[in-house]
Amino acid sequence: MKTSRRQPYSQQRPQDLGDGVWSVPVPIPGNPLGYTLVYAIESPRGPVLVDAGWNHPDAWAALRDGLAALGLDVSDVSGVVVTHFHPDHAGLAGQVREASGAWIALHEADAALVRLMHSFGDSEHRSFQADMLRRAGAGDEDAEAATERRLSAPALPDRELRDGDLVDLPGRKLRAVHTPGHTPGHVCLHLEDADRLFTGDHVLPDITPHIGIYPYDRDDVDPLGDFLESLERVRTLGPLDALPAHEWIFPDVAARAAEIRHHHEDKLVRLAALLAERAEPPTIWETAAMMTWNRPWDQLSPMLRGMAAGEAAAHLRALEVRGVVGRVAGVDPVRFQALDS
């Protein structure tokens, strides 16, 4: 059994990782992940950050002071490459830009989502969430309880990345590797001159990232299928040292990518078996309640139940794409049934 090396934020310190790369742990208040590892890469124009951390005064102080402890000044930062739009990665990018004039870069697919977030009002967001939960089969009480207060949208990027683009980092070769799944525009960043891969949330050493589908009943995307393909792509890069956004730095990203892929393939097999045993086709919400999580379903908070439903939906959609399950026609909310082989 794998032993976790995850340590609390209080035990984390800024580190010089060699080859002009540094890491700064930035806290995520109230989140069990504890912190985001923000990386700085040396550049003659000033350091370029990989991610920026959560938008909170304590997080800002940790980023500013952590860089200072390494001999770097946040006002000298020349750019921020955000691996994906989630708030523990993109939250402070705007404040870094205000302090330094740095550019912000994000993959074009996530940049489109950030623009959409800026166009949404809070009431629109809550209404969208509640309706999505009801269409997945959640009751009115669950739908209302799981509707989250919307966080502020991250800063709009100045630059948009595509797969294979080189980041503006003079003297180094930092290449964007599009790895959709966790978000549509997630990127890993390959520091080709040092055989290192900044993996964001795509490949983590001990846990697996959330792979959900939103709205839950979409039938035009396959985020889990995208994620599995992205894992295979990372595997082909070879045994690079991985610099993830959470937990700890680890060797041989290819081996870990293969391990995560196996985890999801096993989960798909088990879910298909559960559906084959059901007399009545379940809703997405009922499917989530049947699946195995790190805690029993009745012990999950409303927010975590909503995330579990998103992940159940992504697994159902992947099985649908493979022809293993299908949607029951003419019913609301949507239900899935096992198909004959």
Side-chain angles (χ1 to χ4, degrees):
M1 182 176 178
K2 186 185 295 182
T3 301
S4 175
R5 292 167 48 203
R6 194 185 314 177
Q7 295 178 324
Y9 170 72
S10 61
Q11 296 180 23
Q12 299 301 310
R13 298 290 182 270
Q15 293 186 61
D16 184 343
L17 304 176
D19 290 327
V21 179
W22 300 269
S23 68
V24 178
V26 176
I28 313 172
N31 189 299
L33 275 175
Y35 54 89
T36 300
L37 289 172
V38 173
Y39 297 96
I41 308 173
E42 187 177 24
S43 161
R45 296 178 188 163
V48 167
L49 302 186
V50 176
D51 289 330
W54 191 272
N55 187 4
H56 186 277
D58 292 346
W60 173 251
L63 177 61
R64 180 197 61 213
D65 297 346
L67 289 172
L70 296 166
L72 306 172
D73 195 309
V74 71
S75 66
D76 293 331
V77 171
S78 62
V80 183
V81 190
V82 180
T83 59
H84 60 293
F85 75 89
H86 287 167
D88 53 326
H89 298 259
L92 282 175
Q95 195 163 342
V96 172
R97 181 168 60 191
E98 290 175 7
S100 65
W103 47 260
I104 300 171
L106 188 65
H107 186 274
E108 58 184 357
D110 273 13
L113 289 174
V114 170
R115 287 194 293 272
L116 179 64
M117 291 169 69
H118 277 268
S119 72
F120 255 38
D122 188 59
S123 61
E124 291 175 287
H125 174 77
R126 292 179 69 87
S127 176
F128 168 83
Q129 276 198 313
D131 183 55
M132 175 180 70
L133 286 154
R134 292 188 185 98
R135 294 203 315 272
D140 288 343
E141 185 176 338
D142 282 323
E144 291 301 324
T147 301
E148 305 167 60
R149 180 181 62 84
R150 186 169 75 108
L151 297 169
S152 299
L156 290 164
D158 306 290
R159 304 179 182 187
E160 296 187 10
L161 296 172
R162 294 182 177 181
D163 183 52
D165 283 355
L166 284 172
V167 174
D168 183 7
L169 190 64
R172 310 298 297 265
K173 288 190 71 175
L174 184 66
R175 192 177 303 277
V177 182
H178 186 207
T179 49
H182 184 54
T183 70
H186 190 289
V187 292
C188 293
L189 296 156
H190 186 187
L191 190 59
E192 295 178 348
D193 54 277
D195 284 335
R196 285 171 160 173
L197 188 71
F198 300 94
T199 62
D201 281 359
H202 183 60
V203 184
L204 301 171
D206 188 53
I207 58 175
T208 57
H210 173 70
I211 309 297
I213 185 169
Y214 302 95
Y216 303 135
D217 56 353
R218 287 184 71 174
D219 63 359
D220 59 338
V221 293
D222 180 15
L224 181 56
D226 292 341
F227 180 64
L228 296 176
E229 289 183 10
S230 298
L231 288 171
E232 180 61 19
R233 184 171 188 202
V234 165
R235 191 190 66 78
T236 64
L237 295 175
L240 302 175
D241 287 340
L243 282 67
H246 305 290
E247 300 188 312
W248 59 87
I249 295 166
F250 62 99
D252 199 350
V253 70
R256 178 59 180 152
E259 190 176 58
I260 296 173
R261 183 179 179 114
H262 176 76
H263 162 80
H264 281 285
E265 292 291 355
D266 182 62
K267 198 169 181 178
L268 286 167
V269 169
R270 287 186 279 116
L271 178 57
L274 283 173
L275 263 67
E277 294 169 359
R278 290 275 300 202
E280 295 293 331
T283 65
I284 293 169
W285 197 257
E286 290 167 342
T287 301
M290 290 164 20
M291 294 172 70
T292 300
W293 308 104
N294 59 0
R295 276 175 277 173
W297 176 257
D298 60 5
Q299 294 179 22
L300 295 178
S301 68
M303 183 195 74
L304 289 177
R305 285 191 184 189
M307 292 182 68
E311 188 134 344
H315 282 74
L316 286 166
R317 175 60 182 151
L319 289 173
E320 182 181 36
V321 169
R322 296 180 181 191
V324 178
V325 306
R327 296 170 196 240
V328 179
V331 298
D332 182 27
V334 64
R335 293 177 179 272
F336 288 83
Q337 61 187 356
L339 299 178
D340 293 333
S341 60

